[in-house]
Amino acid sequence: MNYVLRKLLFYAVAVWAAITLNFAIPRLLPGNPVDILLAKLQQRGGTITPQSREAYAALLGGDTDDSLLHQYWTYLVNLAHGDLGTSVTYFPTKVTDVISTSMPWTITLVGIATIIAAILGVGLGAVVGWRPGTWLDSAVPATTILAAVPYFWLALVLVYLLARVLGWFPSQGGYDVVLDPGFNGPFLQSALLYGFLPALTIVLASLGGWMLGMRNMMVSTLSEDYVLTARAKGLPERTIMRNYAARNAVLPSIAGFAISLGFVVSGSVVTEQVFSYPGIGSKLLSAVQNNDYALMQGIFLYITLAVLGANLVVDLLYGLIDPRTRAKG
Amino acid sequence: MSTSHSETPEPPVRDQADVPGEVLPDHEGGRLEPAAASAPIAPTGPGGPLAAPATAPVANPMPRGRRSLLPTMTPWLAVGLTLVVAIGLFGAFGPFFVGDPDAINDIGLSGPSGANLLGTTQTGQDVLSQLAFATRGSLQIGLLVGVMATVLSAFFGIYGAYLGGFADEAFSLLSNVFLVIPGLPLVIVISGFVPPEDRGLWTIALVLALTSWAASSRVLRAQTLSVRNRDYVAASQLAGERPWRVIAVEILPNLLPVLASQFVYAVIAAILGEAGLSFLGLGASNSSTLGTMLFYAQNGFALPLGAWWWFVPPGLIIALFGMGLSLINFSIDEIIDPKLKNARTSRRRLRRAAQEGR
């Protein structure tokens, strides 16, 4: 279980790095975010007590009386209490509340789309890579255009074609606003309909990467001795492809999940903007446009933690799939 | 335990790559011969007398080994080169031939016509002129960030792996942490804190480079680790060469294909990242890139108004340029992993054999 322990330790370091980065960024960059934020807060009718000023200064810097170490400590204590400040954009909602209402939208969208893209891409890649050199295989390079397409542009084109010209899908929002959000049939149906185009965007744009990676690994795996042995044993082709070649070829794709997820999350943040999707990406953007630094930092922290969590799960799964990770000390 | 295998110096991929060339008489490498002779990737290099015996494989004549380090011309590589060169020329020279991209006209939002080949924007600006200048802007930032990110990844990946020990552990931890922290949200947050007047081209380029070097640093580290322990590297070290010279002369030539492929990926990622950032209105101020074009198209209601000629071309240029670069990378990948090339050529050989037999 050395592997699990090492992974947990690494992600602990990564979480610490993300939290510290969050602390350092506003202090390293020019500008005085605390004053701008408090001015905005006052405009919205918030009262500024010395305590709230101190809390924001701990979050964003600008407090010259305290030592940096003490500021860092206050920041960590506030973070541990789940206190990320008040959002200016959605005043007087707390940052944590804004995030908790928008996070499920993004996690569901990105999660489902990523799983579909990964399964579809790996499956297609395995089939194509199994017989390299066929016409199907020589058409594979054409899919690189999918990997190079900007997510938000693909979203624009899909909205234009499927929503505006054909009118099949709604082009804006995450659900029909006349409905009550909650676990009821009409709402879920509407969320599915509204989520189709954003999900299609993510699937199309990330499919190519999965497919190419899998195809290339499959081709490399074909010349391995164990595939030859399996053939010599007279095993059915399907069994060799599924249980021998594909199972080994998929490992680098899983190991490279962190890179893929990073691209998907980055892409979906911008895509949400095109659809005015009620997820965390749109919130991040309105936070940036309104100089809502507290919300900005909170969202960055949450996105990073979510990505780290997903990567940790995949890494632990990898440990289960690949026995070599356990054998090595 | 020690087999004779480990005694003979083994260049990484060249031997295997030669196999198809040997069987196929029409190996296209012939055309590439002159370039190969002067190519800087000749494995011997000015490596001093000690390096010479190690880099000269006994069994294989030199030219073929060198030739296999250059990509073979395939239809897809031709498509890729055509796309990249065409878009590159359009970005480099297009702005000299088109009109003023900011000139406002009274024919707002008209479709493609003889006067305006790609139609006009909401305020009657010529889309083609804007496209030419925007392509130039995007290519500039792509190259700039590509170079910066590759230098960073080479430093952390190659130098770290060469030094080994604590430095390697620290560098590799750093790149792994940067790898799992999502890039664009970080870039958005940083851009949000920088006031627009301070948000210049170099700032954006630096931020994009700082958030995108990690993946290729990992690839380079793995490659360096496999090269570092070769005999000719040890020989060079024993001869008292300084570390930077060992890296530059003995290790770097082996990594050139990998480095090239990582650079190409870095350029694609940079162009895409900058486009996303500019589309959100967070790009470099006063810059004109394909992303800012899309930003103005989105804010000028190009989509609800159905002005496809305004928002389709910028994205298409990004996609086609990225596709072209990826296709070039395919050929580089075949140099790095000869199994990919073998798969392609052996299938062709089988087909030809079947035809001849008939």
Side-chain angles (χ1 to χ4, degrees):
Chain A
M1 283 302 98
N2 210 340
Y3 172 78
V4 174
L5 208 67
R6 222 170 44 231
K7 281 294 160 192
L8 286 176
L9 202 68
F10 167 71
Y11 280 100
V13 171
V15 166
W16 171 78
I19 289 175
T20 307
L21 205 60
N22 209 19
F23 172 81
I25 287 172
R27 287 171 171 78
L28 288 176
L29 294 173
N32 192 354
V34 179
D35 285 343
I36 299 174
L37 194 67
L38 290 177
K40 284 238 169 190
L41 210 59
Q42 219 157 17
Q43 273 175 15
R44 298 286 167 114
T47 47
I48 295 162
T49 57
Q51 282 89 355
S52 66
R53 193 187 171 89
E54 206 175 299
Y56 279 118
L59 196 65
L60 300 165
D63 192 343
T64 42
D65 309 339
D66 263 349
S67 71
L68 208 60
L69 209 65
H70 188 256
Q71 288 179 43
Y72 188 54
W73 176 248
T74 321
Y75 164 79
L76 287 182
V77 168
N78 284 354
L79 213 60
H81 288 122
D83 181 11
L84 294 171
T86 310
S87 164
V88 175
T89 322
Y90 302 94
F91 189 79
T93 322
K94 284 188 150 193
V95 165
T96 40
D97 292 339
V98 176
I99 294 174
S100 63
T101 51
S102 51
M103 202 72 179
W105 288 98
T106 301
I107 289 187
T108 316
L109 176 70
V110 171
I112 292 180
T114 304
I115 290 170
I116 292 177
I119 292 176
L120 219 62
V122 165
L124 283 173
V127 171
V128 171
W130 180 239
R131 296 190 188 286
T134 58
W135 66 268
L136 196 65
D137 182 47
S138 30
V140 163
T143 59
T144 49
I145 195 167
L146 286 179
V149 151
Y151 280 64
F152 59 93
W153 180 74
L154 189 63
L156 286 174
V157 171
L158 287 177
V159 167
Y160 179 71
L161 290 178
L162 298 181
R164 196 180 174 279
V165 175
L166 294 172
W168 290 351
F169 298 98
S171 64
Q172 297 280 304
Y175 59 98
D176 198 339
V177 282
V178 298
L179 297 167
D180 278 338
F183 273 98
N184 53 62
F187 171 74
L188 290 180
Q189 214 176 346
S190 149
L192 213 60
L193 186 71
Y194 276 77
F196 187 85
L197 277 187
L200 183 66
T201 306
I202 297 175
V203 169
L204 277 181
S206 54
L207 188 67
W210 286 104
M211 196 171 128
L212 286 173
M214 183 64 188
R215 181 257 167 200
N216 281 359
M217 271 321 290
M218 198 72 181
V219 170
S220 297
T221 312
L222 284 185
S223 51
E224 293 288 345
D225 288 341
Y226 51 78
V227 174
L228 191 69
T229 313
R231 281 223 171 93
K233 280 198 291 188
L235 289 176
E237 286 281 292
R238 282 181 60 90
T239 315
I240 305 174
M241 179 171 114
R242 227 180 28 233
N243 296 357
Y244 287 68
R247 269 180 77 172
N248 283 290
V250 81
L251 291 175
S253 290
I254 299 176
F257 181 78
I259 304 171
S260 318
L261 190 67
F263 270 109
V264 172
V265 169
S266 297
S268 73
V269 165
V270 196
T271 307
E272 281 184 11
Q273 172 68 5
V274 174
F275 291 100
S276 311
Y277 203 72
I280 204 112
S282 316
K283 295 283 189 297
L284 176 60
L285 211 67
S286 45
V288 169
Q289 280 158 354
N290 290 307
N291 291 334
D292 191 350
Y293 300 113
L295 184 59
M296 245 161 75
Q297 289 215 297
I299 289 178
F300 172 67
L301 208 57
Y302 267 76
I303 292 182
T304 309
L305 289 183
V307 169
L308 289 182
N311 281 325
L312 176 64
V313 170
V314 170
D315 268 352
L316 293 182
L317 269 178
Y318 187 84
L320 282 182
I321 299 169
D322 189 351
R324 283 172 297 186
T325 54
R326 292 194 294 273
K328 224 179 103 191
Chain B
M1 190 61 212
S2 150
T3 57
S4 65
H5 204 70
S6 60
E7 310 271 294
T8 46
E10 254 191 319
V13 297
R14 290 174 214 125
D15 297 5
Q16 290 166 303
D18 278 339
V19 178
E22 219 155 2
V23 184
L24 278 177
D26 66 341
H27 188 51
E28 282 99 332
R31 223 180 309 131
L32 301 168
E33 188 89 65
S38 62
I41 39 180
T44 320
L50 267 172
T55 46
V58 192
N60 294 301
M62 281 303 289
R64 202 183 292 148
R66 255 188 257 175
R67 197 193 300 147
S68 73
L69 275 176
L70 284 177
T72 28
M73 190 52 95
T74 62
W76 280 116
L77 178 60
V79 171
L81 286 172
T82 312
L83 281 174
V84 169
V85 168
I87 294 172
L89 287 177
F90 178 62
F93 300 110
F96 297 122
F97 297 102
V98 296
D100 181 7
D102 300 322
I104 294 172
N105 249 309
D106 54 358
I107 39 159
L109 224 56
S110 63
S113 66
N116 304 99
L117 285 177
L118 283 174
T120 57
T121 71
Q122 203 184 24
T123 49
Q125 294 157 328
D126 184 37
V127 173
L128 185 65
S129 313
Q130 291 203 336
L131 199 64
F133 280 94
T135 304
R136 173 183 277 184
S138 276
L139 293 185
Q140 274 172 345
I141 200 149
L143 281 179
L144 192 61
V145 177
V147 170
M148 284 159 82
T150 309
V151 168
L152 275 176
S153 59
F155 175 76
F156 285 109
I158 301 177
Y159 191 56
Y162 177 76
L163 289 179
F166 177 75
D168 182 34
E169 291 287 330
F171 282 4
S172 133
L173 180 68
L174 187 71
S175 60
N176 280 334
V177 167
F178 261 95
L179 195 68
V180 287
I181 292 178
L184 198 67
L186 180 60
V187 175
I188 291 176
V189 169
I190 294 178
S191 312
F193 275 111
V194 181
E197 60 270 18
D198 292 342
R199 221 187 280 147
L201 180 78
W202 284 90
T203 316
I204 295 296
L206 189 69
V207 171
L208 282 172
L210 281 177
T211 50
S212 64
W213 56 272
S216 54
S217 158
R218 257 190 6 169
V219 175
L220 286 171
R221 174 175 178 265
Q223 290 284 326
T224 309
L225 284 180
S226 79
V227 175
R228 191 185 62 165
N229 295 329
R230 297 247 162 79
D231 289 347
Y232 53 85
V233 176
S236 179
Q237 282 167 331
L238 280 178
E241 298 287 9
R242 282 182 297 277
W244 67 265
R245 197 186 155 87
V246 178
I247 292 177
V249 176
E250 309 296 340
I251 294 180
L252 217 50
N254 288 294
L255 297 179
L256 268 182
V258 187
L259 215 52
S261 127
Q262 295 305 319
F263 172 72
V264 170
Y265 279 129
V267 172
I268 302 176
I271 291 179
L272 283 174
E274 195 279 336
L277 211 55
S278 291
F279 178 68
L280 299 175
L282 294 170
S285 46
N286 295 327
S287 73
S288 113
T289 65
L290 297 164
T292 48
M293 243 184 118
L294 286 162
F295 168 76
Y296 284 117
Q298 168 83 347
N299 287 356
F301 302 104
L303 195 62
L305 295 170
W308 55 267
W309 59 85
W310 190 0
F311 67 84
V312 169
L316 205 58
I317 293 237
I318 298 178
L320 289 177
F321 190 71
M323 180 187 179
L325 288 180
S326 308
L327 290 176
I328 294 177
N329 246 2
F330 262 51
S331 301
I332 304 179
D333 281 345
E334 285 190 352
I335 304 170
I336 300 169
D337 184 0
K339 282 177 185 172
L340 296 173
K341 184 179 183 175
N342 288 349
R344 177 164 57 78
T345 46
S346 74
R347 173 66 56 157
R348 198 171 58 188
R349 210 159 57 223
L350 276 178
R351 212 163 43 226
R352 187 166 301 132
Q355 273 166 3
E356 274 165 11
R358 206 175 293 147

